[in-house]
Every structure is written in C-alpha cells, then in structure tokens.
Amino acid sequence: MNKKTLLLFGFILIKFILQYVLINPYYDLHRDEYLHLDQANHLAWGYLSVPPVTSWFAAIIKFFGNSLFWVRFFPALFGALTIVVVWKAIEELKGNLFALLLGATGVLLSAFVRLNFLFQPNSFDALCWTMFCYLIIKYLNTEQAKWLFIAALVFAFGFLNKYNIVFLLIGFLPAIALTNQRKIFLKKELYLSVLLAALLISPNLFWQYQHHFPVFWHMHELAQTQLVNINRWDFVKDQAFYFIGALPVIIASLYALLLYAPFKKYRVFFFTFVFTLAVFTYLRAKSYYAIGLYPVYIAFGAVFWGDVLNTGWKKYLQAVVIAIPVLFYVLGFNLFYTIQNPDGVFKYKKEYQKYGLLRWEDGKNHQLPQDFADMLGWKELAQKVDAISSKLPDSEYTIILCDNYGQAGAINYYTKNKKVKAVSFNADYINWFDFDRKIVNFIRVKQLEESKDELAKTHPFFEIAYQAGSITNPLAREYKTAIFVFQKPKIDINQRLKAEINKEKSERYMQQ
C-alpha cells in the first residue's frame, strides 16, 4: 500500500470517527429518519416525499437490527465516499500530493460533517452529484462513450434517491451549449445514455403516474409552507458558510476554470456552477440543496493551488493554505460542526442567532436549531404510548393515529408491541393503513395547537374517552403533544378512517 492510499484511508477513518462522536447522546433520531426507516416496512418504487433508494438502505439497516450504529453508518459511508471521489477527481486532473491533501481536508472539514449526521437522502444525493461531475471529467479527458453511460447510471440512482439532482442537469445543459463541448449534442452515445437513464428511472415515474404525481403536490406544499419563508440573500450567504474553510479553494477553482489554460477543456463547469446556483436562488431553495455542487470545485481549486504553489518559496505557503480549513473548522466547531446539547446552544445563543442557526422554516427564531428540536421527545412519546396501549383490553385491536410522520415513525421504531402500528394522514402513512383488523381502541396523538377540542370532537363516537399523557420536554418541537385514548366505538372506525383518507387524497389531487 503506497503513501497516497494510506493517507486516503486516514481521511476515511477520521470521517467515520467524526460522524459517530459529534452527535450528543442527549438527542433521539431526527423526525425524518423515523419516516425513512419505516419505509423499509413498505418497500415500493416511490413515496409521497422521496423516491425509493433511501428505503433500500433502510431495508439493509432493518436486516442488521435497526440499531443506532447502522442508522449512523450509511450517511457516514456516503460522506467518506464523497471524499474518495474528490480524491480520484484530483488524481484525474493530475493533482499532486498537496492537492490531494487540500481537497480531502476541504471536504472533510465542511458542511458535510453536519449533512452526514442524519439518515436522509441528502448524503447520497451529494455523493451522486460529485460522482456525476467526476464522470464528466473522465469523459472530457478521454471522450470515451462508456463514461457517459456510467454517468447516466449514476444520474438514475441519484434521481431514484432524490429528485434534486435534476437541478445539476439543468445547470449543465446550458453550460454545455455555451462552450466547445456543445459538440456532444451531435453524438448518438449521448442519447443512448439518456435512454438508459430514462429506462432506469421509469419504474418510479410509473409509480408517480399511478399515484397522480404526488411529487407536484409535495413541491406545492413545500413552496407554500417552507420555501416562501426563505430569503434569497440568506441562501447565498449560507453557501459561503457551508464551505468557509474551503472558500479560497472554491474561488480559485472558478478563476482557474475561466482563465487557467490547463483547465480550458473543463470550462463547462464554470457555467454549470453559475446556472445551477442561479436557479436555486430564484426558486428560494433551501440552502443545503446545493451542497453536492461544491466537492468537484474543491477538487479543481486544490489542483490549481497545487500547481501554483509547487515551486520555489511558494511551497512554504502550502501549509498556510491547508491550515485555513482546519482553522475555520476549529473556530466554528461549537456552532456548525457538532450537535450540541441544549446547554451548549444556550451558551453560544448570540452566535447561533447571529448566523441564523436558530431560524426555523417558519422564518422565526427559536430556542434550539430546528434540527435539534426535531430530535427531542420521540422516545418519550413512544414509551408513553407503549405503556398506555399495553394496559388496554384487547390491545392488539388498537390503532394509533398521529398528526405527523415523525410521531408515527418514532412510535413504530421504538415500540415493543409490534402488533400495534402508528399511522397518520401525513406523508406516506396515508397509504399504510391496515383495514383488515377490527378496531376496538383508538389512540390519538395530537399536537398542542390542535389538541384542545379533541375530547369534545371525538368522544361522541366512543363510550370512553380521556387524555392519558403528553410530551413534557419543553425544548422538543413536539412539546405538549397530547395522547388521547378512546374505547368502545359506537361507529365503524375503519369506514370513518377510509372516508377521511379519501377526503385528504381528494384535496391533495385538487391542489395539484
């Protein structure tokens, strides 16, 4: 094993260590993680909010026992593989050892630390963006058609993981048209590779067709409830913060792609960067949507710096350049690169607020970052629901109806009573109701703002009704979410639920 390989393995090892030790055990899993893990129990070619690939990884996690180790393993793995692809891209660009170290450090000590904490589609999405760009570099260097077909394969898997990768393609197409690389539009291999990608993603497109394209409803809901609160300037600022340590490298890459003679054939990447960010900014995209764009530019910039600082006295500046991402990582460690317990957040509250870290998707500041608050209260909720349901007569004939996917997913993840499942009209749970069982007991998990009239509203349909508990952690986003118990129904609950599901689906269809 040569020196370069040993160094690469060193970066991979450090990556895995960071992803396991920087999450404070005070927290549960994130609400999104519970949904994605539950998808392993309902494998399909599509879901209301995401394509199917995340469910495949969830199925592997389920096979290994659904332990926390495996939940953390896959995002850490995807982050480590992103470093590997950047390393290979630098080698493809003829970068020296310093360039390899600079590129790997720039990716390692960046927003990827935070991105790779959670089991969400985002880590694999960023890996696919990076791999796709690397394969385009391979094609530009060799003009061999096989790289187009492999790129099509990567794009397809990226699409089946998260539709976000389409925006990378949206950036590439006009960029190609503006450069000498437009000659690719005359090659049949391009269209054959497009056909390959289309065939690979067609099962998901067919699923979308069968379910009336819920992706459009999801995008509409996202735009109405979240993206409308995003300031375009905040999106731009966040891009700099995400890779602040590697900013000199990224800026150097853009200069080199436009003016550095050895990079002339790669100029398409300069325009891709501009077009992709312009589209995201216009659409008020969430800041992290663009994270996958940057690793390849870190590769270009690292190679450029490696060339510039490779002779004479300039070699002594290598240590300065590579120290920059390390320095910014150390300076921002408590704010950007760890999941601090609440006391740690309160200690640095002014700094958190200054950098917008306490601003939630509603556009307002709160006590904790939204992701942190979304990792509290779940285990408490599940344990209380378990304790309540186990004491009910005919407990196996119980249905647990929740307000949102986080509640339902957390209960299903932690519950010891596998005969009872939690469902919701929210997200994919609306398709996961089991109407083959008679319902005797009805547990309703209701969020604070909608729980005040629950007893009065639902009691008429049951002989027995009472509130049995609530979430007590004031820092949890689900604080005061209530647990209601209803017994001895006076109506057919299954029929009532079917009617509510049909009403909800009809409203979604009309919104589309």
Side-chain angles (χ1 to χ4, degrees), residues 221-230 286 289 361 370:
E221 184 184 47
L222 189 67
Q224 293 294 318
T225 60
Q226 298 181 29
L227 302 186
V228 69
N229 297 314
I230 293 176
K286 293 184 179 182
Y289 286 3
E361 61 193 24
Q370 182 170 313

Side-chain angles (χ1 to χ4, degrees), residues 273-289:
F273 184 89
V274 173
F275 286 128
T276 304
L277 284 187
V279 171
F280 274 140
T281 305
Y282 175 76
L283 295 176
R284 300 178 185 269
K286 293 184 179 182
S287 300
Y288 68 84
Y289 286 3

Side-chain angles (χ1 to χ4, degrees), residues 135-144 148 171-187 190-191 257 261-272 300:
L135 292 168
I136 297 301
I137 292 173
K138 292 287 289 186
Y139 174 77
L140 294 177
N141 283 345
T142 65
E143 295 195 0
Q144 294 179 2
L148 291 178
F172 257 114
L173 290 177
I176 292 172
L178 283 176
T179 66
N180 292 333
Q181 301 302 337
R182 69 178 70 90
K183 61 186 178 182
I184 195 175
F185 291 131
L186 301 176
K187 296 190 175 183
L190 171 66
Y191 301 99
L257 287 167
F263 282 2
K264 184 178 180 179
K265 73 167 76 169
Y266 310 117
R267 192 160 295 165
V268 63
F269 281 93
F270 174 86
F271 296 107
T272 298
F300 279 118

Side-chain angles (χ1 to χ4, degrees), residues 56-86:
W56 302 347
F57 296 123
I60 298 172
I61 293 171
K62 178 184 176 183
F63 176 80
F64 285 112
N66 259 349
S67 69
L68 184 62
F69 172 85
W70 289 107
V71 176
R72 300 283 185 235
F73 174 81
F74 281 96
L77 173 65
F78 301 145
L81 290 176
T82 301
I83 294 174
V84 172
V85 176
V86 169

Side-chain angles (χ1 to χ4, degrees), residues 472-484:
T472 58
N473 189 336
L475 297 176
R477 196 174 174 193
E478 296 285 332
Y479 177 49
K480 290 187 177 180
T481 288
I483 306 167
F484 297 95

Side-chain angles (χ1 to χ4, degrees), residues 44-50 163 202-215 428 431:
W45 272 106
Y47 301 92
L48 297 185
S49 56
V50 294
Y163 303 125
S202 61
N204 176 253
L205 296 179
F206 183 66
W207 183 93
Q208 286 284 342
Y209 168 76
Q210 286 181 310
H211 293 80
H212 308 292
F213 290 95
V215 64
D428 297 289
N431 294 321

Side-chain angles (χ1 to χ4, degrees), residues 202-333:
S202 61
N204 176 253
L205 296 179
F206 183 66
W207 183 93
Q208 286 284 342
Y209 168 76
Q210 286 181 310
H211 293 80
H212 308 292
F213 290 95
V215 64
F216 295 123
W217 170 83
H218 178 68
M219 291 172 63
H220 172 78
E221 184 184 47
L222 189 67
Q224 293 294 318
T225 60
Q226 298 181 29
L227 302 186
V228 69
N229 297 314
I230 293 176
N231 182 290
R232 291 189 176 96
W233 177 238
D234 287 337
F235 171 86
V236 175
K237 288 191 297 183
D238 286 345
Q239 304 310 302
F241 279 122
Y242 284 162
F243 294 91
I244 191 167
L247 204 56
V249 181
I250 294 170
I251 293 173
S253 76
L254 297 176
Y255 165 81
L257 287 167
L258 195 60
L259 300 172
Y260 187 49
F263 282 2
K264 184 178 180 179
K265 73 167 76 169
Y266 310 117
R267 192 160 295 165
V268 63
F269 281 93
F270 174 86
F271 296 107
T272 298
F273 184 89
V274 173
F275 286 128
T276 304
L277 284 187
V279 171
F280 274 140
T281 305
Y282 175 76
L283 295 176
R284 300 178 185 269
K286 293 184 179 182
S287 300
Y288 68 84
Y289 286 3
I291 282 181
L293 182 64
Y294 294 94
V296 72
Y297 294 92
I298 292 176
F300 279 118
V303 173
F304 175 75
W305 279 116
D307 291 348
V308 170
L309 303 179
N310 198 36
T311 58
W313 62 270
K314 294 179 181 178
K315 283 188 175 182
Y316 296 104
L317 294 178
Q318 291 181 356
V320 176
V321 174
I322 209 167
I324 292 174
V326 178
L327 176 63
F328 275 102
Y329 178 79
V330 172
L331 292 175
F333 181 80

